[in-house]
Amino acid sequence: NIFNAFIGEAKAYFKLLAYAEKAALEGEEQIALLFNAIAEAERVHATRQLNLVKEILVKDTATNLENSFEQEKSISENAYPEFLKEAEEEKEMEAARIFSQARDVEGFHAKLYERAIYKIIKKKVEAYYVCQVCGYVADKKIRKVCPVCGAQKEKFKTINP
Ligand code: FE2
Ligand code: FE2
Ligand code: FE2
């Protein structure tokens, strides 16, 4: 139940941020603030519940890397291709584009984890660059555009050491 509560609170957090954005667009400033405030509260709940199950969910870093690698591999090879196929069958082209980019990006995430598994003792710490459109993650500065979605290099957010 703690785990399910965590999932529920985490979902509520993102949903309420979207509600706040909508309220702001409709000129309802106070309501936008209310949604933002309660989103922040649900984030507190999610964090608190996650903390309670941390010993179960969060292992040592080598295990966490292995687990994250498997997870990314599985969603890029199973879940997203399946979603993509259904979106295409239903002629939902925007969903299909998002699923197809996510499938590719998760594959790249898996590769980064795989490389990290072998470099875990390497001491040098270097930045990562995350595409704010599709989620592609690079360990080198992007020269022109995102290789997955074509977004300009300005769309990348740097995750500094
Ligand atoms: Fe809550
Ligand atoms: Fe991922
Ligand atoms: Fe991208």
Side-chain angles (χ1 to χ4, degrees), residues 49-64:
Q49 289 151 2
L50 177 64
N51 281 338
L52 198 59
V53 286
K54 254 185 187 164
E55 308 92 86
I56 305 167
L57 289 183
V58 183
K59 316 279 193 222
D60 62 284
T61 294
T63 310
N64 294 337

PDB file of all heavy atoms in Angstrom, residues 49-64:
ATOM      1  N   GLN A  49       6.629   8.781   1.499  1.00  0.00           N
ATOM      2  CA  GLN A  49       6.276   7.368   1.341  1.00  0.00           C
ATOM      3  C   GLN A  49       7.414   6.593   0.701  1.00  0.00           C
ATOM      4  O   GLN A  49       7.696   5.456   1.084  1.00  0.00           O
ATOM      5  CB  GLN A  49       4.973   7.250   0.534  1.00  0.00           C
ATOM      6  CG  GLN A  49       3.771   7.713   1.368  1.00  0.00           C
ATOM      7  CD  GLN A  49       2.639   8.275   0.554  1.00  0.00           C
ATOM      8  OE1 GLN A  49       2.677   8.314  -0.669  1.00  0.00           O
ATOM      9  NE2 GLN A  49       1.591   8.722   1.232  1.00  0.00           N
ATOM     10  N   LEU A  50       8.074   7.227  -0.271  1.00  0.00           N
ATOM     11  CA  LEU A  50       9.234   6.571  -0.889  1.00  0.00           C
ATOM     12  C   LEU A  50      10.303   6.299   0.168  1.00  0.00           C
ATOM     13  O   LEU A  50      10.919   5.228   0.180  1.00  0.00           O
ATOM     14  CB  LEU A  50       9.803   7.444  -2.021  1.00  0.00           C
ATOM     15  CG  LEU A  50      11.063   6.923  -2.705  1.00  0.00           C
ATOM     16  CD1 LEU A  50      10.797   5.603  -3.420  1.00  0.00           C
ATOM     17  CD2 LEU A  50      11.605   7.936  -3.707  1.00  0.00           C
ATOM     18  N   ASN A  51      10.504   7.261   1.059  1.00  0.00           N
ATOM     19  CA  ASN A  51      11.515   7.090   2.117  1.00  0.00           C
ATOM     20  C   ASN A  51      11.244   5.858   2.974  1.00  0.00           C
ATOM     21  O   ASN A  51      12.168   5.189   3.414  1.00  0.00           O
ATOM     22  CB  ASN A  51      11.570   8.335   3.016  1.00  0.00           C
ATOM     23  CG  ASN A  51      12.353   9.444   2.359  1.00  0.00           C
ATOM     24  OD1 ASN A  51      13.165   9.194   1.477  1.00  0.00           O
ATOM     25  ND2 ASN A  51      12.094  10.667   2.778  1.00  0.00           N
ATOM     26  N   LEU A  52       9.959   5.576   3.182  1.00  0.00           N
ATOM     27  CA  LEU A  52       9.590   4.440   4.027  1.00  0.00           C
ATOM     28  C   LEU A  52       9.902   3.096   3.361  1.00  0.00           C
ATOM     29  O   LEU A  52      10.114   2.105   4.052  1.00  0.00           O
ATOM     30  CB  LEU A  52       8.094   4.534   4.360  1.00  0.00           C
ATOM     31  CG  LEU A  52       7.607   3.709   5.540  1.00  0.00           C
ATOM     32  CD1 LEU A  52       8.326   4.098   6.811  1.00  0.00           C
ATOM     33  CD2 LEU A  52       6.101   3.896   5.717  1.00  0.00           C
ATOM     34  N   VAL A  53       9.889   3.054   2.033  1.00  0.00           N
ATOM     35  CA  VAL A  53      10.164   1.781   1.347  1.00  0.00           C
ATOM     36  C   VAL A  53      11.539   1.782   0.665  1.00  0.00           C
ATOM     37  O   VAL A  53      11.836   0.931  -0.154  1.00  0.00           O
ATOM     38  CB  VAL A  53       9.054   1.416   0.318  1.00  0.00           C
ATOM     39  CG1 VAL A  53       7.813   0.942   1.042  1.00  0.00           C
ATOM     40  CG2 VAL A  53       8.743   2.567  -0.614  1.00  0.00           C
ATOM     41  N   LYS A  54      12.369   2.750   1.037  1.00  0.00           N
ATOM     42  CA  LYS A  54      13.676   2.883   0.412  1.00  0.00           C
ATOM     43  C   LYS A  54      14.546   1.638   0.534  1.00  0.00           C
ATOM     44  O   LYS A  54      15.239   1.274  -0.421  1.00  0.00           O
ATOM     45  CB  LYS A  54      14.429   4.081   0.977  1.00  0.00           C
ATOM     46  CG  LYS A  54      14.471   5.230  -0.015  1.00  0.00           C
ATOM     47  CD  LYS A  54      15.321   6.366   0.479  1.00  0.00           C
ATOM     48  CE  LYS A  54      15.183   7.542  -0.455  1.00  0.00           C
ATOM     49  NZ  LYS A  54      15.662   8.785   0.146  1.00  0.00           N
ATOM     50  N   GLU A  55      14.484   0.997   1.696  1.00  0.00           N
ATOM     51  CA  GLU A  55      15.348  -0.193   1.880  1.00  0.00           C
ATOM     52  C   GLU A  55      14.968  -1.291   0.892  1.00  0.00           C
ATOM     53  O   GLU A  55      15.788  -2.122   0.540  1.00  0.00           O
ATOM     54  CB  GLU A  55      15.262  -0.771   3.299  1.00  0.00           C
ATOM     55  CG  GLU A  55      15.468   0.185   4.429  1.00  0.00           C
ATOM     56  CD  GLU A  55      14.139   0.769   4.891  1.00  0.00           C
ATOM     57  OE1 GLU A  55      13.482   0.137   5.718  1.00  0.00           O
ATOM     58  OE2 GLU A  55      13.764   1.856   4.398  1.00  0.00           O
ATOM     59  N   ILE A  56      13.683  -1.294   0.469  1.00  0.00           N
ATOM     60  CA  ILE A  56      13.244  -2.312  -0.481  1.00  0.00           C
ATOM     61  C   ILE A  56      13.562  -1.881  -1.914  1.00  0.00           C
ATOM     62  O   ILE A  56      14.018  -2.671  -2.723  1.00  0.00           O
ATOM     63  CB  ILE A  56      11.717  -2.568  -0.340  1.00  0.00           C
ATOM     64  CG1 ILE A  56      11.377  -2.919   1.122  1.00  0.00           C
ATOM     65  CG2 ILE A  56      11.258  -3.676  -1.278  1.00  0.00           C
ATOM     66  CD1 ILE A  56       9.891  -2.882   1.420  1.00  0.00           C
ATOM     67  N   LEU A  57      13.340  -0.599  -2.214  1.00  0.00           N
ATOM     68  CA  LEU A  57      13.480  -0.124  -3.596  1.00  0.00           C
ATOM     69  C   LEU A  57      14.902   0.273  -3.970  1.00  0.00           C
ATOM     70  O   LEU A  57      15.309   0.131  -5.119  1.00  0.00           O
ATOM     71  CB  LEU A  57      12.569   1.091  -3.825  1.00  0.00           C
ATOM     72  CG  LEU A  57      11.075   0.838  -3.871  1.00  0.00           C
ATOM     73  CD1 LEU A  57      10.354   2.138  -4.167  1.00  0.00           C
ATOM     74  CD2 LEU A  57      10.723  -0.204  -4.923  1.00  0.00           C
ATOM     75  N   VAL A  58      15.634   0.814  -3.013  1.00  0.00           N
ATOM     76  CA  VAL A  58      16.953   1.373  -3.322  1.00  0.00           C
ATOM     77  C   VAL A  58      18.042   0.482  -2.744  1.00  0.00           C
ATOM     78  O   VAL A  58      18.177   0.361  -1.526  1.00  0.00           O
ATOM     79  CB  VAL A  58      17.081   2.820  -2.774  1.00  0.00           C
ATOM     80  CG1 VAL A  58      18.416   3.431  -3.159  1.00  0.00           C
ATOM     81  CG2 VAL A  58      15.925   3.686  -3.267  1.00  0.00           C
ATOM     82  N   LYS A  59      18.798  -0.152  -3.665  1.00  0.00           N
ATOM     83  CA  LYS A  59      19.891  -1.042  -3.215  1.00  0.00           C
ATOM     84  C   LYS A  59      21.229  -0.314  -3.339  1.00  0.00           C
ATOM     85  O   LYS A  59      21.266   0.896  -3.478  1.00  0.00           O
ATOM     86  CB  LYS A  59      19.897  -2.309  -4.082  1.00  0.00           C
ATOM     87  CG  LYS A  59      18.541  -2.917  -4.338  1.00  0.00           C
ATOM     88  CD  LYS A  59      18.075  -3.765  -3.177  1.00  0.00           C
ATOM     89  CE  LYS A  59      16.884  -4.614  -3.591  1.00  0.00           C
ATOM     90  NZ  LYS A  59      15.843  -4.684  -2.596  1.00  0.00           N
ATOM     91  N   ASP A  60      22.315  -1.079  -3.360  1.00  0.00           N
ATOM     92  CA  ASP A  60      23.620  -0.462  -3.597  1.00  0.00           C
ATOM     93  C   ASP A  60      23.690  -0.011  -5.058  1.00  0.00           C
ATOM     94  O   ASP A  60      22.933  -0.493  -5.903  1.00  0.00           O
ATOM     95  CB  ASP A  60      24.740  -1.466  -3.278  1.00  0.00           C
ATOM     96  CG  ASP A  60      24.645  -2.674  -4.175  1.00  0.00           C
ATOM     97  OD1 ASP A  60      23.763  -3.531  -3.929  1.00  0.00           O
ATOM     98  OD2 ASP A  60      25.409  -2.747  -5.153  1.00  0.00           O
ATOM     99  N   THR A  61      24.608   0.907  -5.360  1.00  0.00           N
ATOM    100  CA  THR A  61      24.634   1.541  -6.677  1.00  0.00           C
ATOM    101  C   THR A  61      24.866   0.559  -7.825  1.00  0.00           C
ATOM    102  O   THR A  61      24.258   0.709  -8.891  1.00  0.00           O
ATOM    103  CB  THR A  61      25.677   2.677  -6.682  1.00  0.00           C
ATOM    104  OG1 THR A  61      25.205   3.677  -5.772  1.00  0.00           O
ATOM    105  CG2 THR A  61      25.858   3.302  -8.050  1.00  0.00           C
ATOM    106  N   ALA A  62      25.692  -0.450  -7.625  1.00  0.00           N
ATOM    107  CA  ALA A  62      25.920  -1.426  -8.698  1.00  0.00           C
ATOM    108  C   ALA A  62      24.606  -2.134  -9.049  1.00  0.00           C
ATOM    109  O   ALA A  62      24.260  -2.297 -10.227  1.00  0.00           O
ATOM    110  CB  ALA A  62      26.986  -2.434  -8.277  1.00  0.00           C
ATOM    111  N   THR A  63      23.847  -2.514  -8.020  1.00  0.00           N
ATOM    112  CA  THR A  63      22.551  -3.173  -8.236  1.00  0.00           C
ATOM    113  C   THR A  63      21.549  -2.206  -8.861  1.00  0.00           C
ATOM    114  O   THR A  63      20.800  -2.571  -9.773  1.00  0.00           O
ATOM    115  CB  THR A  63      21.989  -3.698  -6.891  1.00  0.00           C
ATOM    116  OG1 THR A  63      23.003  -4.451  -6.249  1.00  0.00           O
ATOM    117  CG2 THR A  63      20.758  -4.560  -7.098  1.00  0.00           C
ATOM    118  N   ASN A  64      21.548  -0.959  -8.400  1.00  0.00           N
ATOM    119  CA  ASN A  64      20.629   0.045  -8.961  1.00  0.00           C
ATOM    120  C   ASN A  64      20.914   0.299 -10.439  1.00  0.00           C
ATOM    121  O   ASN A  64      19.988   0.506 -11.227  1.00  0.00           O
ATOM    122  CB  ASN A  64      20.728   1.354  -8.182  1.00  0.00           C
ATOM    123  CG  ASN A  64      20.230   1.213  -6.755  1.00  0.00           C
ATOM    124  OD1 ASN A  64      19.446   0.320  -6.448  1.00  0.00           O
ATOM    125  ND2 ASN A  64      20.693   2.079  -5.879  1.00  0.00           N
TER     126      ASN A  64
END
